[in-house]
Amino acid sequence: MGKAKKTRKFAVAKKIISPKDARVKSNQLKAEEKKVQLAKAEKPRHVDQAISALFFQYNTQLGPPYHILVDTNFINFSIRNKLDIVRSMMDCLLAKCIPCITDCVMGELEKLGPKYKVALKLAQDPRFERIPCGCRGCYADDCLVKTVTQWRCFVVATCDKELRGRIRKIPGVPCMYISSRRYTVERMPEAFGAPR
């Protein structure tokens, strides 16, 4: 028996998997991402409950005596400008004011050391109301923002521009700051003592 003659096949290419095939790894990843997005779309989205104390942007919970949340730098700038905090607040709002201080702000003042000993003594004044906050070792600005969003009955006193920008985004919360050696309040129509 003789050898079988093999003829070469002309212009035959190797079989290649299509780039759109499901076995390609990049296509598998895209398919998984699509599944996750569909699952997110099907879930009911969480919508925060509207605050009943707001009449449009006007906060009806604010009224004398005003509770004012004080920030660390507000106390320091008040000392630098030789302003008595409680009296200057009363001059600004023409009503009784209760300065409040959170545990995080108090902790921040204690961390600043002996250079800011006067500010710490001022914050421990019995006229200042101490507000306990649940956060442990939290950044003071985050603590103030969290407290204000939870209870809309505060005016926030700060000289920090970044924090004031964050508070402006929360509707119904006025912000007190120092300008030209006086206290000023923004977004509070009944503050008749505040300079315009």
Side-chain angles (χ1 to χ4, degrees):
M1 236 188 189
K3 209 173 189 185
K5 211 175 192 185
K6 264 190 178 176
T7 55
R8 285 183 69 194
K9 292 181 180 173
F10 179 71
V12 175
K14 286 185 177 178
K15 289 188 179 178
I16 300 172
I17 295 176
S18 160
K20 293 178 183 175
D21 198 306
R23 294 174 289 180
V24 178
K25 194 161 194 159
S26 61
N27 292 344
Q28 287 175 349
L29 294 172
K30 285 178 187 175
E32 284 176 25
E33 284 177 23
K34 238 181 203 176
K35 279 182 188 175
V36 171
Q37 286 177 349
L38 285 171
K40 276 185 183 177
E42 288 173 7
K43 281 184 186 175
R45 59 194 180 111
H46 174 72
V47 179
D48 290 327
Q49 188 178 358
I51 290 89
S52 60
L54 291 181
F55 179 73
F56 294 106
Q57 290 283 323
Y58 179 72
N59 192 350
T60 56
Q61 279 185 341
L62 287 173
Y66 293 105
H67 292 270
I68 299 166
L69 267 180
V70 182
D71 190 23
T72 313
N73 56 23
F74 189 80
I75 296 171
N76 293 334
F77 277 102
S78 296
I79 292 167
R80 274 191 203 155
N81 290 317
K82 297 184 175 94
L83 294 167
D84 178 25
I85 292 178
V86 179
R87 187 176 297 146
S88 299
M89 284 177 180
M90 287 184 184
D91 290 343
C92 178
L93 297 173
L94 300 178
K96 187 179 183 206
C97 298
I98 302 165
C100 306
I101 196 159
T102 60
D103 292 338
C104 289
V105 172
M106 205 66 166
E108 197 174 271
L109 276 169
E110 288 166 0
K111 281 179 193 170
L112 288 173
K115 192 177 178 185
Y116 295 96
K117 191 167 66 176
V118 179
L120 185 62
K121 276 268 194 250
L122 192 68
Q124 290 167 343
D125 189 346
R127 295 179 295 178
F128 277 67
E129 191 178 297
R130 190 78 179 265
I131 295 173
C133 59
C135 47
R136 287 188 179 89
C138 175
Y139 183 49
D141 291 4
D142 296 335
C143 177
L144 288 174
V145 169
K146 192 184 86 177
T147 308
V148 163
T149 45
Q150 206 168 12
W151 300 293
R152 304 278 171 110
C153 58
F154 294 109
V155 176
V156 179
T158 183
C159 294
D160 185 9
K161 285 185 179 177
E162 187 183 315
L163 179 59
R164 269 172 42 203
R166 283 172 70 183
I167 287 166
R168 280 189 198 115
K169 292 174 187 169
I170 307 166
V173 179
C175 190
M176 183 181 277
Y177 59 97
I178 300 171
S179 90
S180 62
R181 292 181 177 265
R182 285 181 72 185
Y183 290 174
T184 314
V185 178
E186 61 182 34
R187 296 196 312 164
M188 193 166 180
E190 60 271 19
F192 298 114
R196 300 273 172 230

